Amino acid sequence: MNIRKEHIDALNAVVKITIGKYEYTEKIENFLEVKRKTATLPGFRKGKTPMDVVRKQFEKPAIIEEVSKLVNKGLSDYIAKEKLDLLGNALPRFNENFDWKADELVFEYELGLAPEFSVDLSRASGVTRYKIVADDALLNEQVERIQKQYGKILTETEVKEGFEINGTFTNEEKEINNSALISLDIFADAKTAKQFIGKKVGDVVVLKTKGLFNDDHQLMDYLKVSHDDVHGLDIEVNFTIDAIQSIEKAEINDELFAKLFPNGEVTTLDGLKDKIKEDAEQQFVQQADQKFLNDVTEALLETTKFDLPETFLKKWIQTIGETPLTAEQAEVEFAKSERGLRYQLIESKIFIQNNLQVRFEELKDFTSGLIRQQMAQFGQANATDAEVDGIVSRVMSNQEEIKRISDQVLSLKMIDLYKTNVKAVEKEVNYQDFVKAMYGEM
């Protein structure tokens, strides 16, 4: 077998594999001899079929199968030996007039080569890194939420100021059908709230979505519509009242503190707000880090330039699905996937340049931490090492779970890398402003 590579350009190459007849003839002859002895063909007794009849029926398929094995192994070994960094898989060039009886069989494969480039993290300088603070408005809101959570629920017959309403938002055209618990202070316009006053169970209130809330993103929560649909959404929705309730808020006293903190670590309103602030801002760090990661990613995509073997990739896309695509369909699919492919290459290069990898012990420790955190949430804060190790072993026996957790660990490593190497502009915001920044509205 002879294999050689011919470069078309920096990103495209053709591999030519030549196989001589002598490389497979003996194996084919042995196969045909066995077939002659075992085959039962019409008109001949078993074992008495003439070789020319056996050869006519079985030789070509046998050659195709055996040569295909040789070619596939030769190509795979060659790619590994030459350490070729490919995009997609090798694409065979088909020859309608291919002669399987020739003394030399030549096969050609097109290759799309990964581009050579480097990633300069300094190009992402200027990205904003947010620090989210829990302001007084949020703290007061959370205190009131706790008071309501531990308060007494009273069933009411008609809606009044301060009451809560269980109901269902519906719109047939947009396929909206979502149950929600609302209070009248969620609406942007006081006139909207007044429509509910005096209503009873079973009544329907018709609402216009345009300007319904101070923040259009609330439509995502209450109507369960996508982010792409909320901006400028101008339709009517029906809200059918299913139940009306008022809440007698729990008093902020020793009894409430004892329910919230049985160990007595919080005994005052100021202490409660400090605890809320601490917990909230700890959670906010994860959200701010994720946005920082996303924003650096976008900056690197915009500033890291390299070419792709587009023609090859479009041809490859035509072949990878269950149903072959037309050239036009492949063009559309390539446009959809190009950005993702570019970032995969950038991310891979960052891993290599900075020696980012996940060791088994790191993966195991991270999984253990996740499990302990989850168990604590369900009241099992004192789980033994043996209990946790048993769960870790089960989780890490699942390849999909290992992949998911590995991605989480790598993301954390990427965030740490970016925090160290990307000169960001730090900005302190409250959570409401952070949400606006998240959706590009600041």
Side-chain angles (χ1 to χ4, degrees), residues 235-252:
I235 60 173
E236 286 187 346
V237 291
N238 291 332
F239 184 86
T240 303
I241 298 175
D242 300 323
I244 304 166
Q245 64 188 41
S246 65
I247 297 179
E248 186 179 298
K249 292 190 292 187
E251 293 185 19
I252 299 175

Side-chain angles (χ1 to χ4, degrees), residues 10-26:
L11 299 177
N12 294 274
V14 174
V15 168
K16 293 186 178 181
I17 302 175
T18 302
I19 295 182
K21 197 171 188 177
Y22 66 90
E23 296 182 64
Y24 58 86
T25 296
E26 182 178 352

